[in-house]
Structure formats: C-alpha cells, structure tokens
Amino acid sequence: MAECFNHISFVFMTRREFIRNTSFIASTMALLPTPAWAAETSFPVVRPPLAKRRFTSPAVEQTIARVQSSIGNQELAWMFGNCFPNTLDTTVDFSVVNGRPDTYVITGDIDAMWQRDSAAQVWPYLPLMVSDPQLQQLIAGVINRQTRNTLLDPYANAFYKDEHKISEWKSDVTDMKPGVHERKWEVDSLCYTIRLAHGYWKATNDPAPFDDAWRAAISKIVQTFREQQRKDGKGPYHFQRRTETQSDTLAGGGYGNPGKPVGLICSMFRPSDDATIFPYLVPSNFLAVVSLRQAAEMLEQIHQDKVLATDCRALADEVAAALQKYAVVHHAQLGAVFAYEVDAYGNYYCIDDGNVPSLLSLPYLGAVTTGDKIYQHTRRLVLSEANPYYCQGTAADGPGGPHVGRDMIWPLGLIVQGLTSTSDDEIKGCLTTLQKTHAGTGFMHEAFNKDDPNKFTRPWFAWANTIFGELVLKTFNERPGLLS
C-alpha cells in the first residue's frame, strides 16, 4: 500500500455510532433555512420524513438549500430537493464487515444491488465528500461491497446483501451462486465499479478501499474481459432462462449470437438487462477502454503494480483499436456513425437505448469529446427519427429504448442529453421536458408514455432521481440563468 498520499482521513465508526451520528445530523437539518417560495406554493411534501431517511448528509442538505434558495424555477427547485438525495433517503444500508465500511445499495423497487446502478447512484455525491466524512465513509462502503461482489462472481450483474440468499432466478441455466440475484453478463457492470473507485480516489486521495482484495478484483475483471474476447473459444459464461420474453434469454445454446474475435469484448446483455442482438455492445466497449486505463493509473500509484497496470493498458489499447475499425459504420443520411452493436462480420444495429452506457452518453463517461465528429453524427441519429426508439409525441420528445417498448421515453435519456449538450436551448428544453412529465410526483421514473406522462414505469427508481439532481446541479454551477 502506498504511503505517499495526503489523503482525507476520518475516524472509523461502528454501525451504532454511524446511526447515532447520522440521526443527530438529520435533526440539525431541520434548522436549515426554508426557501421563501416554499411557504407560497402548493407543492406537496413527498420526500421521506427525517426519521425515516436511510442516511442524511449535511453536505447534500446544504447543497439542496443553496440551490433552492438561488433559482427562480420553483417547481424545478422542489424536484431537485426530492430527487438529488433520493439514493441516500431510500436505498442505502450501511454496516461494518470485518472492520471495514460496507454499504449495500438497492435500485429502488427491487431488493438487489446492481453493480452499475449502485455506482451511478452515489456518483453525484463524490464532490461533496471533502466536507462530509460520513458521506465519504458511506461511499467507501459501496466500493468495498462492489469488490466483494466482483470476487464472488464477475459475470453477475446484481447481488443480495445476504451472501447466502438463494435467488428467485435459481432455475436459470448458468452457474448461479448464493448471494447472486441475477447473472446477466454486462460489460458495463465491471466498468462502473472501476469508474466509482477512480472517482472516489481522485476526489479524496484515500487509498483505504483499494487493498489487496480490490487489486484481486481488478485482476479478475481483466481475466473476465479477456475470456469474453472469445479468442480461444466461447469462454465459461452461458445463460438461458425459461421465459416468454425473448430478451431475457440467450440464443446459441446460451452463448448468444456469434461475433468474430477481433479484440472487442462480448456483452451478452445491455444495461437494461436485455439480451444483445450482436455481441459487441459498442458503448460498453468504449467504457471498458476508459475504465481499464483508470484501473492502470490506480494500480501503478497505489500498489506499484506495473505488471497488471501494463496488462490493463494493453487490453484498453486493443479494444480501442478494434472500436476504431469495427464500431464506425456508414449511415446513408448521416455519414460515419457509431453503431450500437456489431458482430465484426459486417452486421450492425443502429439504435440507442435510454439507459447508460449509451451512444449518447459517451462524452459523459469520458469516452469521446462532445466535439468528436463521429459522435456528433451519431448524436443526430440518436435524437431523430433515424433511431427507431426515439419518441416524438404530443406530450414530449425524447430517447427511448427496447426494454419497455416503443413510445416510452426514458428520463435517463433526456438527462444524459442535457448532460452532454453544449447548447443552452437544448439543455433548457431537456429540463422543461423533465419538469412537465414527472406526472405530479416530484420524481423521475424509468419511462413514460410520449403522449401521456401519467403512464409510467417504476415509480421508485433512485438512479434516475439522483442523476436528475446531477443535471440540475451542473446547470446551476455552469448556466444558472437556465433555472430562472
């Protein structure tokens, strides 16, 4: 373990101390000033009362108060106050395991921890850790839990808090283990664990979560990615489920449709947990390049492990070269664009999904710049009728996806559109659409009907809520006039 870091430190607490201190902090939050508009409006109280919140962060509460007291759009201010803390309010479960912080995070209405979702849910809080040691400890606990999940089964996408619990999907034809909720192999599940680890480390310089177990998890990730390049056969992963839903199982005897082994990494499922059509999911491979390079930086600086770091970079370079050669296709109207999925035999699928990672999200994930010419062509495809899952309705226009069918817009897609835009008008349009389509709930949903926002899926979807808060906060910091 490197000793050269001037990292932020905090006093380690037991679970009892953590809950007691958090309860004390929660009681003090009631003393924060209430925005003047709050007493003059009829927006209902929809956030859980203080006593029922899972965790309360002074830094988050102060951010909410600062934003709400400074913007003129009263409804957006109310929505921000509901959505930004929703992950902390409703989904986190902190404990201490083997003397280390451990945080289990559900997505909302499903009692399981998705590797991707849990990392994304706490991501917007990273800049606030510097003034909130308990929040830092909570997020360190997420990293520790994700490390344990990865070592348990790198091919699984979702896990239980109880590592002995048997899944409702135990009859799936795959190597199901106790503690695994679902075993759908998604490249981005492992990428997101690295993304969160790297973001935490950059924000704190704290190496504490990155012990030998974490290094072993990174080694396991590299091994898994190489297995799924499928240069030496199909690899160990297969998956089948008895179901009437085609996207819930894999063709090819459980190995999916074939791909030419060219260096890309097979992802049998998308971030939506739907099966891929062609095995090389382009946005996830882009994210793998970013994540592997982040892992290499951490391995060198924290562990002085140049061997594994070199392996990470070599794999990243190989995937990047294959993307350049096979992921760029010609669109009749738009020219060179990134395909959503390819098989490297010449077949490809030009759509995008409202979930993340998506083609639209590539700059947000650090994979390309917003000004990249091919990305801009792709963006025009994704946000137009050239994408069969772009929705244009009487209530709203926006990105959708196959998971819940056509005519359903994903708030996640609209939020990512805003986060990746450089246009005031486009960002304002995304915020306006999100404001008018929450169906009076004050929260984001998984998807809503393009003609009737009252028809929506998943009333409790914490990731969408928290990333909406991220969009509002980014706009507040960079373009506050759009919130007037």
Side-chain angles (χ1 to χ4, degrees), residues 22-259:
T22 300
S23 299
F24 171 75
I25 293 169
S27 68
T28 67
M29 291 304 102
L31 302 177
L32 287 172
T34 301
W37 55 260
E40 303 169 1
T41 61
S42 57
F43 296 121
V45 176
V46 294
R47 191 178 171 191
L50 284 167
K52 293 187 176 181
R53 295 175 193 171
R54 304 290 301 180
F55 177 85
T56 303
S57 159
V60 170
E61 298 301 327
Q62 290 160 10
T63 299
I64 293 170
R66 178 167 57 91
V67 171
Q68 288 187 327
S69 65
S70 303
I71 66 176
N73 188 319
Q74 298 177 5
E75 188 171 10
L76 273 181
W78 171 66
M79 292 169 65
F80 177 74
N82 300 331
C83 291
F84 188 55
N86 189 247
T87 286
L88 302 181
D89 283 355
T90 66
T91 71
V92 298
D93 184 355
F94 176 85
S95 61
V96 176
V97 175
N98 297 325
R100 295 169 63 82
D102 177 79
T103 309
Y104 175 73
V105 186
I106 62 174
T107 65
D109 49 15
I110 304 173
D111 184 14
M113 179 172 174
W114 267 255
Q115 297 282 77
R116 169 192 53 255
D117 293 39
S118 57
Q121 283 169 246
V122 299
W123 177 264
Y125 305 134
L126 292 181
L128 304 180
M129 294 185 298
V130 66
S131 61
D132 192 338
Q134 290 189 23
L135 181 62
Q136 180 180 337
Q137 186 171 355
L138 184 88
I139 296 175
V142 178
I143 295 169
N144 291 336
R145 166 66 64 158
Q146 290 182 340
T147 295
R148 290 164 56 200
N149 290 344
T150 300
L151 292 172
L152 174 62
D153 187 352
Y155 283 106
N157 56 327
F159 299 80
Y160 294 119
K161 180 176 175 61
D162 179 359
E163 295 179 359
H164 301 288
K165 184 175 179 178
I166 302 300
S167 172
E168 62 182 284
W169 304 114
K170 63 181 181 294
S171 62
D172 287 347
V173 183
T174 189
D175 185 17
M176 287 293 290
K177 297 179 175 69
V180 170
H181 169 68
E182 193 170 46
R183 198 170 189 257
K184 289 182 172 179
W185 162 236
E186 302 164 8
V187 167
D188 66 285
S189 290
L190 299 182
C191 296
Y192 259 99
T193 67
I194 298 173
R195 183 175 190 255
L196 178 63
H198 186 263
Y200 173 94
W201 176 61
K202 285 293 187 180
T204 65
N205 280 335
D206 174 24
F210 312 117
D211 58 0
D212 288 340
W214 179 83
R215 180 167 55 173
I218 298 298
S219 180
K220 180 68 72 173
I221 289 171
V222 173
Q223 174 189 329
T224 304
F225 283 171
R226 289 203 180 279
E227 288 172 350
Q228 290 307 309
Q229 287 182 302
R230 298 192 178 180
K231 294 179 180 179
D232 301 311
K234 294 179 180 179
Y237 177 80
H238 60 87
F239 180 96
Q240 288 177 297
R241 174 178 292 174
R242 292 187 179 276
T243 176
E244 296 178 354
T245 304
Q246 183 180 11
S247 60
D248 262 350
T249 191
L250 294 179
Y255 291 93
N257 292 316

Side-chain angles (χ1 to χ4, degrees), residues 340-358:
Y340 185 67
E341 294 171 359
V342 301
D343 66 0
Y345 285 108
N347 301 302
Y348 56 88
Y349 195 22
C350 280
I351 67 160
D352 203 20
D353 197 307
N355 216 319
V356 183
S358 60

